[in-house]
Amino acid sequence: MQSSIYTDLAMEARELHPELQGVVEQSEESEGIRISRIEVKTEEASQKLEKPRGRYVTLDAPELTNRPLDLFEQVAAQLGEEIALLLGSLASDATVLIVGLGNRAITSDSLGPKTVEQVYVTRHVTQYLPEAFPHPVRSVCAIAPGVLGVTGIETMEVVRGVVERVRPDVILAVDALASRRAARISTTLQLTDTGINPGSGVGNTRKSLNQATFGVPVVAIGVPMVVYASTISQDTISLIADETGLHHDEETLKRLAEKVITENLGNMIVTPKDVDQIIADMSRIIADAINFALFDADYDEVRMLIS
Amino acid sequence: MQSSIYTDLAMEARELHPELQGVVEQSEESEGIRISRIEVKTEEASQKLEKPRGRYVTLDAPELTNRPLDLFEQVAAQLGEEIALLLGSLASDATVLIVGLGNRAITSDSLGPKTVEQVYVTRHVTQYLPEAFPHPVRSVCAIAPGVLGVTGIETMEVVRGVVERVRPDVILAVDALASRRAARISTTLQLTDTGINPGSGVGNTRKSLNQATFGVPVVAIGVPMVVYASTISQDTISLIADETGLHHDEETLKRLAEKVITENLGNMIVTPKDVDQIIADMSRIIADAINFALFDADYDEVRMLIS
Amino acid sequence: MQSSIYTDLAMEARELHPELQGVVEQSEESEGIRISRIEVKTEEASQKLEKPRGRYVTLDAPELTNRPLDLFEQVAAQLGEEIALLLGSLASDATVLIVGLGNRAITSDSLGPKTVEQVYVTRHVTQYLPEAFPHPVRSVCAIAPGVLGVTGIETMEVVRGVVERVRPDVILAVDALASRRAARISTTLQLTDTGINPGSGVGNTRKSLNQATFGVPVVAIGVPMVVYASTISQDTISLIADETGLHHDEETLKRLAEKVITENLGNMIVTPKDVDQIIADMSRIIADAINFALFDADYDEVRMLIS
Amino acid sequence: MQSSIYTDLAMEARELHPELQGVVEQSEESEGIRISRIEVKTEEASQKLEKPRGRYVTLDAPELTNRPLDLFEQVAAQLGEEIALLLGSLASDATVLIVGLGNRAITSDSLGPKTVEQVYVTRHVTQYLPEAFPHPVRSVCAIAPGVLGVTGIETMEVVRGVVERVRPDVILAVDALASRRAARISTTLQLTDTGINPGSGVGNTRKSLNQATFGVPVVAIGVPMVVYASTISQDTISLIADETGLHHDEETLKRLAEKVITENLGNMIVTPKDVDQIIADMSRIIADAINFALFDADYDEVRMLIS
């Protein structure tokens, strides 16, 4: 029954297909952070996992739920290193566009807009006052394009308009994700060089933000903020099926799941009560990581001038 | 299995025990609003429903999810009338304390604090500048006492400190509730003369805000804002039990439910994505209703002077 | 000395040059709202007033400071009519882009972003689900492009990117203004068909949002939210000069004014303490007015479907 | 003319009376922070300065306007040390009540409420779960009592109610201040063992929060957030008087100042445009300083458990 369950995390998709060929994976752990690297290498694996071919890095730090300051800093530093790795060799004066996706008026969807508020923006300085920096720094700009239901404009139309003017060398996109497990909310971050690919990750170029559609590398950073309530019902039923041997009656169980979902859940999401705090913490971590990755040695200098 | 399922709504508790003696109920409907009146009359019924003896009025307006302006106004007007009915004969210069319960930093728990921000407060005028009103008006004051985890002080300790100074003739308390059904979020309001009685409504006087503990009538107004995620799993399992005839194996199902909940849900809540908007709408409706109920004929005059 | 004093209000510029030729003005008053209509007709008048040629409508309602609900509604209705007048004959299925200028993170500058959050957006419906409306309605979209210091991108670059994609028939821009008089904050609204023209209104096409630069009519709506602190010092000194006959020593006074401003004021603004409330009220009034003006007879239908 | 100019800062009051007897002062400077210590020792000095007898410590760090991270941390650490000094010997298990004064709905007045949101609160743990800490820690609780215009209840009535229940050994109060110089906003912090004494600091026990009225030591921490607009006019006029030798006509100047203020300024305040950011930064600094001062060696342990 799991085929109908959606997840934005490559790691979770992999867990559902642990034996699948065409996937290279590797993981390590240090100081409370587990890093998993998955590469989806074949088209077949991509179809099965519903994730485009490319690299996915997941940082997992369960202790983040206790909000220790040290770990916040370690995760930001580690994430910054991973972003730098995925960006590869980027010119010291490259132009970078940061895109904060999502709806700022809905707390659980506001990770992107909240993050772009906190990144160091330099493009106006590099363009109008370049002598303010002693040597070239990255030219960083940032937008939160809003969502279709609020602006009446496809998110990617807004992004495209900006890209045509700014002509970035690379795009960094930040978005809230959906997970299958509530425990991943606030403890997991995913980084990928495949960009943003809503739904199955196949087709739908209108809503995609990736190298194929925008012509420049797109690195996407996301954090699971919700579990769809329907996932919970489906998980419950799967578990009952597994443990009670009711597999022969899968149709009945599916019908029951639909009934619960329709009657009780509608458009509900499962989220921690303190989602406001988690958004504040996670957007801070991601913005720090981006600032580290993009300014590196110039970090202090930029901070002083910009913020 | 339903005995372990918690609800703050007397109406939902009644639905689980439709045949119970000692409960008087009556309902009516007009212009898209269904009003149910339940009176819990005996101690036995109170124990079974886990609700104190007293009157419970529920307003249900499913169309509120579409946010029609007219209905907002009708619900506010109707709720105002019901509040006035529960308050009974209150002196034209009575002192009223409005208590907004909950944690303003957690969106789904901020209904109380958000409501008290919008009620018309007159006590400082009636006390220091009574001649500002041509004739006596209710002396209204309002506090949001915060929650134990944020202040380090029991909510009711703070309320008691204020009550001893203000000496109100009646207390109106506003709080977010937990429901068993997600569909009730944003469409249902409950009003009761039993006050606030956390948990079972039995004992725990330390956390109660009712006539027995504070010596004055306490009318409580609440709106379901969350469904506990565990409720969803339990509902799914109950449904499966009912439909598949697995009742003989209730213990297995309970164990399975616990497993899903522990692994996947932890302290999660089920809430609509647009909870920020719902809190804004519902706090507006309740504040309007309270303003209508308390100032009535003086409404325009007070609004002009106060806001 | 007044030549160095800046105001965004044509009405205030006019007051400083009451005898100037090339200006047609007319005013009326009803139910507490004073409407002034100024048309700047000649290039010479435009230069002197530092305002582009075109029409300026000012609504003035001093009683708004008392926040009477009725007046809010009357001002919104009146403003809606004036917007419709300036828009002229606009096709029933015209595309309208609403641009909320300003920095949402600075309360006194957030009028534009706050307004666009409240307008009815229909373009996604007219484009993807036109049958949802029984007959054609205006196709409205809305963006808050941010400010250069936050995004690193010129505001008008972002707007231009969107305009090229959306191809609107008309643009409505909303922005906070600077006034010379604090009393105008929260009580005055200005409407103009000359668009947005920062500074003198002459040149600086890079920052302008008007018909000349964007090729479609641009109607701008603004409310004074701040008085520059320097204005206060200058006013004080002007008054002293006028009343004490110190005109012969204008240079000394100018030097003194500069000293006060440099030492004490820096980049300060003068604003009412309750600017948060005023922004909430004024953005509500403007959004209502825009919704009335653009949807008119379809208003209820659109509201029901959209919000 | 300066006698009518109000300031909350003892340092500014002292500057207006530099020769006054009965005041002991001393200052030092290190790493960009200037610390001034003033002690008002005699009743006569207290009357003249309109400040109660007691100790006032001012931290001044002009570079804070550039928001360097390092300096934020240094100021927080330094302020923490000064708080500890003023608190003197406080038992390791003392009960401390933190009071955040001001109106959270008005940005420039929200320093107190924003600070209490960020202090570490332990009283509920020390009371209900003392074994959570390996050895005794301070029992800290915190409230934001609101303001009279919003609650209808005198701020100090609410505080008194809480004090009677909590029985603190010491009270820490945080409030936004008014300064005479805009440059002090966001760069100056004042600490005093005289508590909160609105207006002249003489009489008005109803609104005071000090040892005399509450029976326990009260340490107050404040940051200038506004300059009253009237101060600007008065300063301008004083300067003109000084420089032009118009002293003989002080009455005329006073009349003129009043005219400017009445006509143009009303109830306006002078504030930086980025007051939202300044409140966020300053409340963070003060909360950090309080956390350092109260938990000291237990800091990490408390942080881990509490936040």
Side-chain angles (χ1 to χ4, degrees):
Chain A
M1 293 184 67
Q2 60 271 62
S3 67
S4 62
I5 292 173
Y6 182 68
T7 173
D8 282 320
L9 293 176
M11 193 176 69
E12 289 188 341
R14 174 60 171 175
E15 284 170 4
L16 296 170
H17 301 84
E19 306 297 333
L20 188 64
Q21 296 293 305
V23 178
V24 176
E25 61 191 323
Q26 177 246 327
S27 71
E28 62 202 74
E29 183 158 359
S30 84
E31 300 182 65
I33 309 173
R34 183 182 176 82
I35 304 178
S36 311
R37 292 186 177 84
I38 289 176
E39 189 169 357
V40 178
K41 300 199 80 141
T42 65
E43 193 50 38
E44 199 204 330
S46 166
Q47 296 279 348
K48 263 285 206 245
L49 299 179
E50 301 184 86
K51 294 279 161 279
R53 276 183 289 170
R55 288 183 288 167
Y56 300 84
V57 181
T58 312
L59 275 68
D60 225 331
E63 273 304 302
L64 279 175
T65 52
N66 295 327
R67 311 191 59 231
L69 273 192
D70 296 359
L71 189 55
F72 280 3
E73 284 166 23
Q74 282 164 35
V75 172
Q78 188 67 51
L79 181 63
E81 280 178 38
E82 299 292 334
I83 293 172
L85 268 177
L86 275 197
L87 288 175
S89 61
L90 192 65
S92 64
D93 63 347
T95 296
V96 181
L97 173 63
I98 301 168
V99 178
L101 297 163
N103 184 345
R104 81 175 67 238
I106 292 179
T107 305
S108 61
D109 196 30
S110 65
L111 181 74
K114 283 277 165 41
T115 301
V116 297
E117 284 171 12
Q118 299 174 76
V119 293
Y120 297 164
V121 163
T122 53
R123 184 173 170 270
H124 53 313
V125 184
T126 60
Q127 212 167 37
Y128 299 120
L129 198 70
E131 64 276 16
F133 295 112
H135 53 89
V137 303
R138 304 261 162 72
S139 179
V140 176
C141 53
I143 52 157
V147 297
L148 180 64
V150 169
T151 63
I153 310 168
E154 286 282 0
T155 304
M156 294 313 158
E157 284 188 280
V158 178
V159 176
R160 194 168 294 278
V162 170
V163 166
E164 283 175 12
R165 254 141 210 89
V166 167
R167 303 230 163 263
D169 298 298
V170 66
I171 297 172
L172 274 177
V174 181
D175 201 4
L177 306 179
S179 166
R180 289 192 62 230
R181 286 180 175 272
R184 292 235 163 77
I185 295 176
S186 86
T187 65
T188 297
L189 299 108
Q190 175 174 278
L191 194 62
T192 176
D193 61 3
T194 62
I196 300 286
N197 306 275
S200 69
V202 181
N204 206 344
T205 58
R206 201 187 65 192
K207 295 187 173 178
S208 294
L209 174 55
N210 54 32
Q211 183 148 15
T213 50
F214 278 79
V216 294
V218 180
V219 169
I221 306 162
V223 176
M225 293 307 307
V226 300
V227 176
Y228 293 114
S230 53
T231 305
I232 312 268
S233 269
Q234 288 176 312
D235 276 5
T236 310
I237 286 172
S238 287
L239 185 68
I240 291 174
D242 288 350
E243 302 236 347
T244 62
L246 276 171
H247 283 285
H248 58 281
D249 199 9
E250 234 176 64
E251 278 312 303
T252 305
L253 292 174
K254 267 188 182 162
R255 189 178 47 75
L256 290 175
E258 258 158 50
K259 193 172 162 185
V260 178
I261 292 163
T262 310
E263 278 184 16
N264 272 20
L265 302 181
N267 193 26
M268 298 290 134
I269 54 167
V270 177
T271 193
K273 270 196 93 171
D274 56 345
V275 62
D276 307 72
Q277 182 67 61
I278 290 172
I279 287 283
D281 289 346
M282 283 291 167
S283 62
R284 180 74 261 156
I285 286 175
I286 298 174
D288 281 348
I290 292 175
N291 293 337
F292 294 150
L294 295 181
F295 297 113
D296 197 12
D298 308 317
Y299 179 78
D300 286 332
E301 196 180 297
V302 169
R303 191 190 194 283
M304 204 65 118
L305 196 81
I306 296 304
S307 62
Chain B
M1 291 182 67
Q2 61 273 64
S3 67
S4 62
I5 294 173
Y6 182 68
T7 173
D8 282 322
L9 294 176
M11 192 176 69
E12 290 188 341
R14 174 58 171 176
E15 284 170 5
L16 296 170
H17 301 84
E19 306 296 333
L20 188 65
Q21 296 293 306
V23 179
V24 177
E25 59 191 324
Q26 176 247 327
S27 71
E28 62 202 75
E29 184 159 359
S30 82
E31 301 182 64
I33 309 172
R34 183 180 175 83
I35 303 177
S36 310
R37 291 186 177 83
I38 289 175
E39 190 168 357
V40 178
K41 302 199 76 139
T42 66
E43 195 48 38
E44 199 204 330
S46 166
Q47 296 278 351
K48 262 285 206 249
L49 299 179
E50 300 184 86
K51 295 280 161 278
R53 276 182 290 171
R55 288 183 287 167
Y56 300 85
V57 181
T58 313
L59 275 68
D60 225 331
E63 273 304 302
L64 279 176
T65 53
N66 296 326
R67 309 190 60 230
L69 276 192
D70 296 359
L71 189 56
F72 280 3
E73 284 166 23
Q74 281 163 36
V75 172
Q78 187 68 50
L79 181 63
E81 280 178 39
E82 298 292 335
I83 293 171
L85 268 176
L86 274 197
L87 288 176
S89 61
L90 191 64
S92 63
D93 63 349
T95 296
V96 180
L97 173 63
I98 301 169
V99 178
L101 297 164
N103 184 346
R104 78 175 69 236
I106 292 179
T107 305
S108 61
D109 196 30
S110 64
L111 181 74
K114 283 276 166 38
T115 301
V116 296
E117 285 171 13
Q118 299 173 75
V119 294
Y120 297 164
V121 163
T122 53
R123 184 172 169 271
H124 53 314
V125 183
T126 59
Q127 211 166 38
Y128 299 120
L129 198 71
E131 63 276 17
F133 296 112
H135 53 91
V137 302
R138 304 263 163 70
S139 179
V140 176
C141 53
I143 52 156
V147 297
L148 180 64
V150 169
T151 62
I153 310 167
E154 286 282 1
T155 305
M156 294 313 159
E157 283 186 280
V158 179
V159 176
R160 193 168 297 277
V162 170
V163 166
E164 282 176 13
R165 255 143 209 86
V166 167
R167 304 230 163 264
D169 299 298
V170 66
I171 297 172
L172 273 177
V174 180
D175 201 3
L177 306 179
S179 167
R180 289 193 61 231
R181 288 178 175 271
R184 291 233 164 79
I185 295 175
S186 86
T187 64
T188 297
L189 300 108
Q190 175 175 280
L191 194 63
T192 175
D193 62 2
T194 62
I196 301 286
N197 305 277
S200 70
V202 179
N204 205 345
T205 56
R206 201 188 62 191
K207 296 187 173 179
S208 295
L209 174 53
N210 55 31
Q211 183 146 16
T213 50
F214 279 80
V216 293
V218 180
V219 168
I221 307 164
V223 175
M225 294 308 306
V226 300
V227 176
Y228 293 114
S230 52
T231 306
I232 313 270
S233 270
Q234 289 175 311
D235 276 5
T236 310
I237 287 171
S238 287
L239 184 67
I240 290 174
D242 287 351
E243 302 238 346
T244 63
L246 275 171
H247 282 285
H248 57 283
D249 199 8
E250 232 175 65
E251 278 313 304
T252 305
L253 292 175
K254 266 188 183 163
R255 188 178 48 75
L256 291 175
E258 257 158 50
K259 193 173 164 187
V260 178
I261 293 163
T262 308
E263 280 183 15
N264 273 19
L265 301 181
N267 194 25
M268 299 289 134
I269 54 167
V270 177
T271 193
K273 270 196 95 171
D274 57 344
V275 61
D276 307 72
Q277 182 67 62
I278 291 172
I279 286 283
D281 288 345
M282 282 292 167
S283 62
R284 179 74 261 156
I285 286 176
I286 298 174
D288 281 347
I290 291 175
N291 293 338
F292 294 150
L294 294 182
F295 296 113
D296 197 14
D298 307 317
Y299 179 79
D300 286 332
E301 193 181 301
V302 169
R303 188 187 196 287
M304 203 65 117
L305 196 80
I306 294 305
S307 64
Chain C
M1 292 185 67
Q2 60 273 63
S3 68
S4 62
I5 293 173
Y6 183 69
T7 173
D8 282 321
L9 293 176
M11 192 176 72
E12 290 187 342
R14 175 59 172 175
E15 283 170 5
L16 296 171
H17 301 85
E19 306 297 333
L20 188 66
Q21 296 293 305
V23 179
V24 177
E25 61 191 323
Q26 177 245 328
S27 72
E28 63 202 74
E29 183 160 358
S30 83
E31 300 182 65
I33 309 172
R34 183 180 176 82
I35 303 178
S36 310
R37 291 187 178 84
I38 289 176
E39 189 168 357
V40 178
K41 301 200 78 141
T42 67
E43 195 49 38
E44 199 204 330
S46 166
Q47 296 279 350
K48 262 283 206 248
L49 299 179
E50 300 185 87
K51 293 279 160 281
R53 277 182 289 170
R55 288 182 286 169
Y56 300 84
V57 181
T58 313
L59 274 69
D60 225 331
E63 273 304 302
L64 278 176
T65 53
N66 295 326
R67 311 189 61 229
L69 274 192
D70 295 359
L71 190 55
F72 280 4
E73 283 166 23
Q74 282 164 35
V75 172
Q78 188 67 53
L79 181 64
E81 281 179 37
E82 298 291 335
I83 293 171
L85 268 176
L86 274 197
L87 287 176
S89 61
L90 190 66
S92 64
D93 63 349
T95 296
V96 181
L97 173 63
I98 301 169
V99 179
L101 296 164
N103 184 345
R104 80 174 69 236
I106 292 180
T107 305
S108 61
D109 197 30
S110 64
L111 181 74
K114 283 277 166 43
T115 302
V116 297
E117 284 171 12
Q118 300 174 75
V119 293
Y120 297 162
V121 163
T122 52
R123 183 173 169 271
H124 54 313
V125 184
T126 59
Q127 212 167 37
Y128 300 120
L129 198 70
E131 65 275 17
F133 295 113
H135 53 90
V137 303
R138 304 262 162 70
S139 179
V140 176
C141 53
I143 53 157
V147 298
L148 180 64
V150 170
T151 62
I153 311 168
E154 286 282 1
T155 305
M156 293 314 158
E157 283 188 279
V158 179
V159 176
R160 193 169 296 278
V162 169
V163 166
E164 282 176 13
R165 253 141 210 88
V166 166
R167 304 228 162 266
D169 299 298
V170 66
I171 297 171
L172 274 177
V174 181
D175 202 3
L177 306 179
S179 166
R180 289 192 62 230
R181 287 179 175 273
R184 291 235 163 78
I185 294 176
S186 85
T187 64
T188 298
L189 300 109
Q190 176 175 277
L191 194 62
T192 176
D193 62 3
T194 62
I196 301 287
N197 305 276
S200 69
V202 180
N204 206 344
T205 56
R206 200 187 63 191
K207 294 187 174 180
S208 293
L209 175 54
N210 55 32
Q211 182 147 16
T213 50
F214 279 80
V216 293
V218 180
V219 168
I221 307 164
V223 176
M225 293 308 306
V226 300
V227 176
Y228 293 114
S230 53
T231 306
I232 313 270
S233 268
Q234 288 175 311
D235 276 5
T236 310
I237 286 172
S238 287
L239 185 67
I240 291 173
D242 288 350
E243 302 237 347
T244 63
L246 275 171
H247 283 284
H248 58 284
D249 199 8
E250 233 175 64
E251 279 313 303
T252 306
L253 292 174
K254 266 188 183 162
R255 189 177 47 74
L256 291 174
E258 258 158 50
K259 193 173 161 187
V260 178
I261 292 163
T262 309
E263 279 183 16
N264 272 20
L265 302 181
N267 193 25
M268 298 289 134
I269 53 167
V270 178
T271 193
K273 270 195 94 171
D274 56 344
V275 61
D276 307 72
Q277 182 67 61
I278 291 172
I279 287 282
D281 288 346
M282 282 293 167
S283 62
R284 180 75 260 156
I285 287 176
I286 298 174
D288 280 348
I290 291 175
N291 293 338
F292 294 150
L294 295 181
F295 296 113
D296 197 14
D298 308 317
Y299 179 79
D300 286 332
E301 195 181 298
V302 169
R303 189 189 195 286
M304 204 64 120
L305 196 79
I306 295 304
S307 62
Chain D
M1 292 183 67
Q2 59 273 62
S3 68
S4 62
I5 293 173
Y6 182 69
T7 173
D8 282 321
L9 294 176
M11 192 177 69
E12 290 188 340
R14 175 59 170 175
E15 283 170 5
L16 295 171
H17 301 86
E19 307 296 333
L20 189 64
Q21 297 292 306
V23 178
V24 177
E25 60 192 323
Q26 177 246 327
S27 71
E28 62 203 76
E29 182 159 0
S30 84
E31 300 182 65
I33 309 172
R34 184 182 175 81
I35 304 178
S36 311
R37 291 187 177 81
I38 289 175
E39 189 169 355
V40 178
K41 301 198 78 139
T42 66
E43 194 50 37
E44 200 203 330
S46 165
Q47 296 278 349
K48 262 282 203 251
L49 300 178
E50 301 184 88
K51 294 281 162 277
R53 275 182 290 170
R55 289 183 287 167
Y56 301 83
V57 181
T58 313
L59 274 68
D60 226 330
E63 273 304 301
L64 278 175
T65 52
N66 296 326
R67 310 190 60 229
L69 274 192
D70 296 359
L71 190 55
F72 280 4
E73 283 166 23
Q74 282 163 35
V75 172
Q78 188 67 52
L79 181 63
E81 281 178 37
E82 298 292 334
I83 293 172
L85 269 176
L86 275 197
L87 288 176
S89 62
L90 192 65
S92 64
D93 63 347
T95 295
V96 180
L97 172 63
I98 301 169
V99 178
L101 297 164
N103 184 345
R104 78 175 69 235
I106 292 180
T107 305
S108 61
D109 197 29
S110 64
L111 182 74
K114 284 276 164 43
T115 301
V116 297
E117 285 171 13
Q118 299 173 77
V119 294
Y120 297 163
V121 163
T122 52
R123 184 173 169 270
H124 53 313
V125 184
T126 60
Q127 212 166 38
Y128 300 120
L129 197 71
E131 64 277 15
F133 296 112
H135 52 90
V137 303
R138 304 263 161 69
S139 178
V140 176
C141 53
I143 54 157
V147 297
L148 181 63
V150 169
T151 63
I153 310 167
E154 287 282 359
T155 304
M156 294 314 158
E157 283 187 280
V158 178
V159 176
R160 194 169 294 279
V162 170
V163 166
E164 283 176 10
R165 254 142 210 89
V166 167
R167 303 229 163 264
D169 299 298
V170 66
I171 296 171
L172 274 177
V174 181
D175 201 4
L177 306 180
S179 166
R180 290 192 61 231
R181 287 179 175 272
R184 291 234 164 78
I185 295 175
S186 84
T187 64
T188 298
L189 299 108
Q190 175 174 278
L191 194 62
T192 176
D193 63 2
T194 62
I196 300 287
N197 304 278
S200 68
V202 180
N204 206 347
T205 56
R206 200 187 63 192
K207 295 186 173 181
S208 295
L209 173 55
N210 54 31
Q211 182 147 15
T213 50
F214 279 80
V216 293
V218 180
V219 169
I221 307 163
V223 176
M225 293 308 306
V226 301
V227 176
Y228 293 113
S230 52
T231 305
I232 313 267
S233 270
Q234 288 175 311
D235 275 5
T236 310
I237 286 172
S238 286
L239 184 68
I240 291 174
D242 287 350
E243 303 236 348
T244 62
L246 275 171
H247 283 284
H248 58 283
D249 200 8
E250 234 176 62
E251 278 312 303
T252 305
L253 292 174
K254 267 189 182 162
R255 190 179 46 75
L256 291 175
E258 257 158 50
K259 193 173 163 185
V260 178
I261 292 163
T262 310
E263 278 182 17
N264 272 20
L265 300 181
N267 194 26
M268 298 290 134
I269 54 167
V270 177
T271 194
K273 270 196 94 172
D274 56 345
V275 62
D276 308 71
Q277 182 67 62
I278 291 171
I279 287 283
D281 288 346
M282 283 292 167
S283 63
R284 179 75 260 156
I285 286 175
I286 298 173
D288 280 348
I290 292 175
N291 293 337
F292 294 149
L294 295 181
F295 296 113
D296 197 13
D298 308 316
Y299 180 78
D300 287 331
E301 194 181 300
V302 168
R303 191 191 193 285
M304 203 65 118
L305 196 80
I306 295 304
S307 63

